[in-house]
Amino acid sequence: MPKDTFYITTPIYYVNAIPHVGSAYTTIVADVIARWHRLHGEKVHFLTGVDEHGAKQQKSAEEAGVDTQTYVDSMAPHFRELWQALNISNDDFIRTTEERHKRAVVPFIEQLQANDDVYTARYEGWYCVRCEEFKTDADVVDGNCSIHGTPVEWLAEDNHFFRLSKYNDRLIELYETTPDFLQPKRAYNEMYALLKQGLIDTPISRRIKWGIPFPGDPEQVVYVWVEALTNYITAIGYERDPVMFERIWPADVHLMAKEIVRFHAVIWPAMLMSLELPLPKHVFAHGWLLAGGEKISKSGRGITDLQPRELIATYGVDAYRYHFTHGIKFGGDDASFSLEDLHARYTADLVNGLGNLASRTLAMIDRYFDGKIPDAGAAGEPEVDLLAGAAGADAVASARMDAFEVTQAFDAIWDVVRRANQYLVEREPWKLAKDEAQMPLVGAVLATTAHVLAYLAALLSPVMPDATQELWSRLGYDGAPSLNPPSPAGNAVRVGDALFPRIEAPA
Ligand code: MSP
């Protein structure tokens, strides 16, 4: 069975702290992309999960005074539950302590060994437990990790190494022949420069307790990063369900933030090359969300006390999802997150923009046409243009979405919202309605904005699943919002409360 599924992944998150707005960011963007592809009729497999092995989890459990399995068991639900609260439509959720994962990691390593890509050697060098990463001198500043600013450890261990250097040339060739393998450009340039400098072999085992025993050497465990990367295949049936595996693999995109791009765009493809497995089509490494100028993190410098759940409680899950995908520009650059920006976006775009367009249209249909959407028989050029703009937005947005220009995709859709509101202001149907002779035109105006709203409900459903479903139903349509909605003429509308209630500015 050939591949027939769009496969998108997020990183699997460490469970040593509860998820914050930073961890939720990649998951929301991935969800929007996944829903976009489903909306367009594709089969989608959206995988997320948690990374539960390694020194960091072991240490956190020790600090909490519980055994490590009990610790990770108590933390994983925080992720599952937050994704539910954020309306994340993941098809699977993998935990790396699950049997299906542990069992498949063994043949993965054995295959590397069978290819003579693994040998034993001594590693002497730095290690940052917070990054779970072997560090070079260049990564260490005054004894501290350059990312976390906390002390690194000196390791001197006999380890198993992967012959990463053997794949140097093939990786260069990959980058040169498939420049969109790694995006955006800045990540590509950085990794390409690294490849040109020359790769050195890398340890793939650790002498710690908490992990998957290294095949053939139970004194050691598989290095957590190597094992974590394999989640992308162990979850979809690698060495377990070949039919499923072939339908889904390779990934269409691995999504993540920039600090873990080397693992995904250098080490991971090299291992897949060794195993002669197809490579992911795209790796996309976005910038960081910042608070007070620092990366938002669980325990690092840019701590924000704004919790996703509190924001959802105030603004609603749709507004939360909307802000992080359209309000904050998705791409290679870092972006600041603040409550003020979220509030301003909510008010401008959702209350005054989409919400206002919907409430005016529905209220006038209710008032002037007894709640039944009139026909657009008297439509003139402005109506035809507006509707054509709505119908054409999908093609523009889809092209951008395919290029992972998520924010720009929504710009194209938001243009329709803006134009429709502008059109109502210019047409002033509330004034026209004072003259009985103009009622056919009033009908055409409202039929048009109602139809435009139906397009918007579909196009915005990946980002605001609840509000758009509600809008779609209020416009008298059945089922879920779908692309190319038929004319709503004749549908009975429901006015309802404001889709996005006005909220007081934060103190
Ligand atoms: N466990 C590894 C990933 C293994 S994937 C095979 C890991 N976990 S993590 O918990 O540290 O998550 C890192 C990821 O969380 C980032 O790459 C990004 O996707 C997301 N983010 C965490 N904080 C973030 C920001 N402040 N801004 C943007 N993304 C954020 O690394």
Side-chain angles (χ1 to χ4, degrees), residues 384-396 416 451-452 455 459 483-485:
V384 172
D385 279 356
L386 187 68
L387 200 59
D394 180 33
V396 181
V416 177
H451 202 172
V452 166
Y455 276 102
L459 292 168
L483 296 167
N484 305 315

Side-chain angles (χ1 to χ4, degrees), residues 11-14 20 22-23 25-26 51 225 228-229 231-232 256-257 259-260 264 286-289 295-296 298:
I12 48 172
Y13 303 101
Y14 291 127
H20 49 82
S23 8
Y25 180 60
T26 314
D51 194 350
W225 256 107
L229 288 165
N231 94 87
Y232 301 131
M256 75 213 63
E259 79 287 353
I260 57 176
H264 285 85
H286 60 73
W288 286 336
L289 281 186
K295 176 182 179 235
I296 297 175
K298 303 180 244 253

Side-chain angles (χ1 to χ4, degrees), residues 110-324:
E110 284 172 346
Q111 192 59 53
L112 296 177
Q113 290 168 323
N115 297 349
D116 191 28
D117 278 341
V118 182
Y119 61 94
T120 50
R122 191 158 181 82
Y123 176 78
E124 290 200 22
W126 302 112
Y127 192 84
C128 171
V129 173
R130 284 189 138 167
C131 298
E132 290 281 20
E133 190 170 358
F134 301 95
K135 297 286 182 179
T136 62
D137 286 343
D139 303 323
V140 178
V141 183
D142 298 333
N144 291 327
C145 165
S146 59
I147 295 178
H148 288 100
T150 47
V152 290
E153 289 172 15
W154 181 259
L155 292 189
E157 291 186 350
D158 290 326
N159 291 135
H160 297 274
F161 277 66
F162 172 62
R163 290 189 205 283
L164 184 59
S165 58
K166 178 172 152 187
Y167 295 94
N168 208 150
D169 290 346
R170 279 184 64 189
L171 286 168
I172 291 177
E173 192 190 325
L174 166 70
Y175 277 57
E176 289 177 350
T177 55
T178 322
D180 65 355
F181 168 71
L182 174 57
Q183 297 175 66
K185 205 69 206 156
R186 189 193 298 167
Y188 176 95
N189 290 342
E190 260 173 47
M191 291 302 115
Y192 185 67
L194 204 71
L195 296 175
K196 285 297 218 182
Q197 272 168 30
L199 298 172
I200 55 167
D201 295 344
T202 184
I204 57 167
S205 67
R206 286 288 327 270
R207 290 188 176 273
I208 59 163
K209 290 266 159 316
W210 184 241
I212 300 174
F214 199 88
D217 183 0
E219 293 292 297
Q220 303 199 47
V221 298
V222 178
Y223 168 42
V224 64
W225 256 107
V226 167
E227 178 229 302
L229 288 165
T230 68
N231 94 87
Y232 301 131
I233 58 174
T234 63
I236 56 160
Y238 170 71
E239 291 287 316
R240 186 180 75 247
D241 184 343
V243 174
M244 179 186 190
F245 186 68
E246 279 180 18
R247 293 181 82 147
I248 299 178
W249 190 255
D252 290 81
V253 57
H254 292 314
L255 215 60
M256 75 213 63
K258 61 188 182 183
E259 79 287 353
I260 57 176
V261 67
R262 191 177 62 90
F263 291 107
H264 285 85
V266 175
I267 297 178
W268 179 229
M271 292 185 157
L272 291 168
M273 283 172 181
S274 170
L275 267 65
E276 292 177 25
L277 286 173
L279 304 182
K281 293 187 190 163
H282 304 289
V283 171
F284 194 101
H286 60 73
W288 286 336
L289 281 186
L290 310 176
E294 298 278 2
K295 176 182 179 235
I296 297 175
S297 67
K298 303 180 244 253
S299 49
R301 298 156 173 161
I303 298 180
T304 169
D305 52 6
L306 297 169
Q307 290 305 315
R309 282 183 187 277
E310 291 164 29
L311 297 169
I312 298 171
T314 309
Y315 292 93
V317 59
D318 285 323
Y320 185 103
R321 295 167 58 99
Y322 176 73
H323 182 64
F324 282 95

